[in-house]
Amino acid sequence: MAFIFSGDDVCQTTTPTPIPAPYWVAFSHSSANLIGIALDDTGLPVDKEWLGVLSGNQLNTSDHHFSNPIATVYSGHQFGVWAGQLGDGRAILLGDIAGQELQLKGAGITRFSRMGDGRAVLRSSIREFLCSEAMHALGIPTTRALSIVGSDLPVKRETFETAAVCARFAPSFLRIGHFEHFAALDDVDRLREFADYLIQYHYPDSQNTDEPYLNLFQEICARNASLVAQWQAVGFCHGVLNSDNISVLGLTMDYGPFGFLDQFQIDHICNHSDQGGRYSYHRQPQIMHWNMACLASAMIPLLAGKSDEALAQEKLRSALDQFPVVYAHAWQSLFRKKLGFTTSEEGDIDLIERLLQAMHDSKVDFTNFFRNLGKLKSGESLLQNSLRDEFIDRESIDRWFDDYVARLKLESVPDEVRQHAMNQVNPKYILRNHLAQTAIEKAQDKDFSEVTKLLKILNKPYDEQSEYDSYSLAPPPNLQAVEVSCSS
């Protein structure tokens, strides 16, 4: 269901700004199939008009007409500080396609661009495209990416780069910032419209509860608690968890300076603009909880009505207190599965935490360790286990492996069954920064083959794909601490 709201206070009707000589950089077959775009033998749309539409150069194909593109207003907290009015400064919502909102990122200036140029560059567009599809393949809720269209139009960032437009879609791009914006304006009617829309189209079960708005808040919290637990389980760092970047559908969205962990460092910072480490890996659950508090504050008028505001605050606070409970349950369940446990035992959490501390101390590759852990044979000597060689403190990790093998014996599951189950939750392939950078550098020379290859590999992250083993390796030492910035 596309964005159904109208009015100058909510959105601006705007037309994408054309780019000169557009060309295809990448296209997602999976996304195209989901929204019903027919593809030819080359994997590109049969209807050639899609190049014009997805570049922002025209509004219609032979079958689809996007007659009312808009950019929406929202506000939010950025790095913990109220930033006031923000909005879609370079994202333009074309309209509905197969029940999804189709949006162009980098399609030109809108009323909300502030000091920006409304453009995106090839570098960041490739990163968002690949990570959106990689996260979907990992089974993590996310906005989807459809395509990248490039142009030789120069765009100034730290240096001059070339422009690109990334097409993405989602059931809704509504975010906490939409609620915060109208709460700041004391516009209860708009708040109610947003909440009623979410209940009608995305949280219908809330309608049948005693307090639909309170239940809506609880459900949004639960989805985002589960989401951040899934991030932690694959070592994903969002990088900019500002409240305006948080989906009220519990989707990963607004891919900027993200990064997957290589060497496990619990306090890893993937965004070099985040000098205080607010959005470091281990703080992501806490910050998501904080963002839910921002949403709770914005929703107070919906629960208060003519009654006591203090009572509304208390109800929302009580609901907010469930966030860490839902998160802990999801996190524990995921990490049990990563270790091959199908049951719950009293010492499991201690075992998980001891392992993560040891991995942190020795900077062990997060993805490869868990993937290779499934190969452990219950009858083999632990001294022959090459995984122990990844750790500095051999005595400590040997004790951990002794305890781990003892715990596995409680499962009574054959090694091959356990390995298969572990391989379904421990990916072999993630979008490592150095892989993305190689694809970007080739693309900047008009060679898009590496983007296509990475998309293919990342679409099956849990499969062995032995012909691509090199793409599962940890980065070389000089690329192990790569950080990215907010510039895109």
Side-chain angles (χ1 to χ4, degrees), residues 226-421:
S226 176
L227 176 68
V228 75
Q230 290 176 274
W231 290 352
Q232 301 300 94
V234 297
F236 174 77
C237 301
H238 185 282
V240 192
L241 286 177
N242 296 330
S243 63
D244 57 289
N245 292 337
I246 306 300
S247 164
V248 291
L249 297 188
L251 305 174
T252 313
M253 68 186 303
D254 290 353
Y255 292 89
F258 68 84
F260 284 87
L261 294 174
D262 293 314
Q263 295 178 337
F264 183 67
Q265 291 286 271
I266 198 167
D267 54 352
H268 175 71
I269 303 168
C270 69
N271 176 5
H272 75 61
S273 301
D274 184 12
Q275 297 180 355
R278 177 179 175 82
Y279 300 137
S280 56
Y281 170 78
H282 72 301
R283 295 195 67 190
Q284 289 188 133
Q286 173 191 347
I287 295 300
M288 186 66 85
H289 189 196
W290 189 90
N291 283 322
M292 292 303 108
C294 292
L295 177 61
S297 179
M299 292 182 69
I300 288 172
L302 296 178
L303 274 69
K306 297 180 180 179
S307 64
D308 187 359
E309 183 175 304
L311 179 59
Q313 290 177 336
E314 182 57 35
K315 289 179 178 179
L316 287 164
R317 186 179 300 111
S318 178
L320 184 64
D321 286 343
Q322 290 303 303
F323 180 97
V325 177
V326 175
Y327 168 77
H329 181 269
W331 184 89
Q332 292 170 14
S333 176
L334 288 167
F335 272 87
R336 279 192 173 97
K337 290 177 181 178
K338 289 178 74 67
L339 290 179
F341 303 159
T342 61
T343 60
S344 175
E345 297 292 337
E346 183 177 349
D348 288 352
I349 305 309
D350 177 65
L351 198 64
I352 294 168
E353 291 178 345
R354 283 169 54 200
L355 172 62
L356 293 178
Q357 183 63 57
M359 292 175 69
H360 170 86
D361 292 341
S362 296
K363 298 183 178 180
V364 174
D365 187 89
F366 184 84
T367 300
N368 287 342
F369 176 83
F370 281 105
R371 181 70 176 195
N372 291 327
L373 186 62
K375 301 175 183 178
L376 182 68
K377 303 298 183 183
S378 56
E380 72 179 3
S381 169
L382 293 176
L383 294 178
Q384 297 173 347
N385 175 19
S386 62
L387 285 176
R388 67 190 291 273
D389 295 336
E390 302 291 328
F391 296 85
I392 297 172
D393 186 345
R394 297 292 177 81
E395 291 185 6
S396 177
I397 200 60
D398 284 346
R399 287 194 296 273
W400 183 89
F401 273 113
D402 285 338
D403 293 341
Y404 176 60
V405 170
R407 171 64 178 85
L408 286 179
K409 290 179 180 178
L410 299 178
E411 294 289 319
S412 300
V413 175
D415 288 338
E416 61 273 14
V417 174
R418 173 176 54 82
Q419 180 177 357
H420 177 76

